[in-house]
Amino acid sequence: MRLRSAGIPCILIALLLGCIIVAGNITTPETPAYELQRPRNVQSTAVILPPFGGNYNTQLVLLGTTGGVGWWADTTRASSSSALLVGDTIYIIDLGQGSTARLAEAFVRNDFVFAKGGRIEDGSSISLQKVRAVFFTHLHQDHTADYPAFLLIGPGAGLGMHTDPVTQKTSIVPVKIFGPGSRGELEADKTNYLNRSGTIVETYDGQTSPGLRQMTSLIWQAYAQTINDMTLDNGYPDFTRLVTITEIGGSGPGDIPIPADVPDPNADTCPAMEPFPVYSDENIRVTAILVNHSQVYPSFAYRFDTPDGSIVFSGDTGIVTNGNLQRLANGADILVHEVIDEAWIDVKFGTPAEGTQMAALKTHMQNSHTKISDVGRIAEECNVSTLVLNHIVPGNTPKMRLMQAQQNFSGKLIVGEDLMRIGIRKFGRAW
Ligand SMILES: [Zn+2]
Ligand SMILES: [Zn+2]
């Protein structure tokens, strides 16, 4: 059942959600490397809110809760995307397929007037003026496929603009977009693919693994016709000025270097490192770290520290991050973590003969994601009080199977649903 079903009374929703939550206390993790930085036995302060929010200054809004390259049967989950609402400001983490529709459902509001034949919208919504920044964990399509929609449709709802409440004058205030720089090169061994006459796709300047800046520029170029029509004929602002791009690991002006020793991403994409700063303003302080998404480089987890609490997004990762995720997430209020159902991997890949390509693919799937049976232990090591499952693969895995993530985790487990809102409140902890 989806939270956005407006006709369902809040109390029923609360009862239904209550069925999928198990509360508990945090205990000291076994591994001494992940030292506790906060009092033990802190109860979770995360609360599931009604569909249109509650009296919480900081709210996590899940926009898309599945992942993968496909549309799953019997589910309406969009692909990976979340919004963090702090006060009146929206920060977005990833934009997988279907997520911009959820963004509109969650935040786009307008007034209506009554005209002959029924109500009609009173002007255009400018709700997306609240979006200040976007953070991409990595550039896989289940995290970025709606980025073009965000850039092309968002301007109709105020994206990258600010309207002065007193003068009503509107000006451009670009949305800040953060994400990976270019990998630099593809994986070294392309034999299997090339033997099948595979085509290596290149950009106009020979890039085979472009970063966020070139991806953005190429989206504008691909949609030049409509952008030029909208700006020349329809009074839209310059689309290319509505966002600014900062690459993490890029080499452009203002880019953020990755403070880790990665001489060759084909050898190691996730060396042990400390979290590093990405962004801060009056609402949030954002830090990042490399996680282990197999050959994908760079692939980030992000931590958002707010005055009300801390939220960490794992991005796509296997369980072996050399302690990186544990260091980043230590003591956070909420860990939003990806999960894959190992039973689905078994059904999909069967038991391939050793040494075959299918066997390699199955191993890759197991290593670059986190199984239901592992994610609870990871959350426990991270010393977080609430674990929220997202990037649920497959998207139609029954909740009862996902509930098994409670194994080895003593905190509160929430199985994510699209448009679920979670409020956090901090008790007596200074930022
Ligand atoms: Zn993914
Ligand atoms: Zn991925």
Side-chain angles (χ1 to χ4, degrees), residues 203-272:
T203 64
Y204 58 86
D205 62 348
Q207 293 271 341
T208 51
S209 190
L212 177 66
R213 182 172 290 109
Q214 191 171 45
M215 172 188 264
T216 307
S217 176
L218 290 171
I219 291 169
W220 288 326
Q221 291 177 45
Y223 287 91
Q225 183 194 29
T226 190
I227 291 174
N228 292 333
D229 284 347
M230 300 294 282
T231 50
L232 289 170
D233 304 328
N234 296 343
Y236 276 78
D238 181 345
F239 279 41
T240 68
R241 290 176 56 212
L242 299 180
V243 299
T244 57
I245 307 297
T246 303
E247 286 187 349
I248 307 172
S251 55
D255 284 349
I256 300 167
I258 301 171
D261 189 17
V262 185
D264 178 6
N266 290 328
D268 183 8
T269 56
C270 184

Side-chain angles (χ1 to χ4, degrees), residues 68 138 142-143 316 391:
H138 63 302
D142 53 327
H143 302 252
D316 282 10
H391 198 280

Side-chain angles (χ1 to χ4, degrees), residues 45 49 53-61 83-91 107 282-284 305-309 311 421-426 431:
T45 61
L49 303 175
N55 187 25
Y56 281 76
N57 183 60
T58 294
Q59 298 180 26
L60 166 67
V61 185
L84 199 56
L85 182 64
V86 185
D88 209 27
T89 304
I90 298 168
Y91 306 89
F107 295 111
E282 75 278 16
N283 294 321
I284 60 169
D305 291 302
T306 80
D308 305 299
I311 302 100
R421 283 181 185 249
I422 300 167
I424 57 168
R425 182 163 288 165
K426 203 162 194 175
W431 184 9

Side-chain angles (χ1 to χ4, degrees), residues 66-68 79-80 138 140-143 293 315-316 338 369 391 393:
T66 186
S79 223
S80 194
H138 63 302
H140 273 166
Q141 64 269 66
D142 53 327
H143 302 252
H293 194 24
D316 282 10
E338 72 126 89
H369 295 286
H391 198 280
V393 174

